[in-house]
Amino acid sequence: MAVGTSVDAYFALSNGQWSVFYSWVDIKSCANGRWLSVGEIEYILDHVSELGVPIETAPPPSPPPSGTLLLYDRSVTRNYKDDGILWVKKRGSQKVREDHVKLRIDGDYRVAGCYVHDQLNSTFHRRAYHLLPVESRPAPSIPNGRGGIVNLILCHYMDTEVAASVAASWG
């Protein structure tokens, strides 16, 4: 759960540990070696403006490298999933198999996630997250420039083998 800012540092509770982010660059560096926690994801999506997170307007490079973290406004960039990767398909279908989850903080569902797996490389994955409505959190009020409000989704691409070697280099 996010608690606030101090001296331009951003704090988020992650699995009982505090993560300290000084910038979007710090967050992206963290995302190179591990999946972000639910608290970190919620914090990023709640504090897009303060963190200076750029909202992408085009699909990712094809294919995005491991550790890539991208933020989209789904109402503007509807084709954010067109990343050039062959994802695992549903049985007997041409549709991508998407595993949907709802993630909790303090027993409350706060973040929805969608996980997909690469068809050719079993260690490469994409996770996409968006905030769920919560009584204690006001609806986002960032205008999207098209007369609407942003509908943010955070996409995280990771090859778990690459991430393990990155994390090992952290000591």
Side-chain angles (χ1 to χ4, degrees), residues 106-137:
D106 297 330
D108 297 324
Y109 292 116
R110 305 296 281 268
V111 175
C114 174
Y115 303 168
V116 294
H117 311 278
D118 191 329
Q119 203 169 32
L120 305 175
N121 178 357
S122 64
T123 62
F124 194 76
H125 312 278
R126 178 184 69 212
R127 292 184 176 183
Y129 306 100
H130 68 272
L131 293 176
L132 294 171
V134 176
E135 288 180 24
S136 63
R137 178 182 42 241

Side-chain angles (χ1 to χ4, degrees), residues 63-75:
S66 179
T68 299
L69 202 56
L70 301 166
L71 184 72
Y72 293 101
D73 177 355
R74 286 189 290 189
S75 62

Side-chain angles (χ1 to χ4, degrees), residues 41-110:
I41 294 162
E42 182 184 44
Y43 188 80
I44 292 165
L45 291 170
D46 269 343
H47 296 88
V48 170
S49 299
E50 294 95 328
L51 290 168
V53 181
I55 299 176
E56 305 293 329
T57 57
S62 183
S66 179
T68 299
L69 202 56
L70 301 166
L71 184 72
Y72 293 101
D73 177 355
R74 286 189 290 189
S75 62
V76 174
T77 313
R78 294 180 186 266
N79 60 343
Y80 69 91
K81 293 180 182 179
D82 294 344
D83 48 26
I85 297 171
L86 291 173
W87 300 108
V88 172
K89 308 281 190 233
K90 292 180 181 180
R91 283 188 204 147
S93 175
Q94 288 302 308
K95 293 184 178 184
V96 172
R97 187 189 94 205
E98 295 182 339
D99 302 325
H100 294 269
V101 296
K102 288 183 181 177
L103 306 171
R104 297 177 191 216
I105 295 178
D106 297 330
D108 297 324
Y109 292 116
R110 305 296 281 268

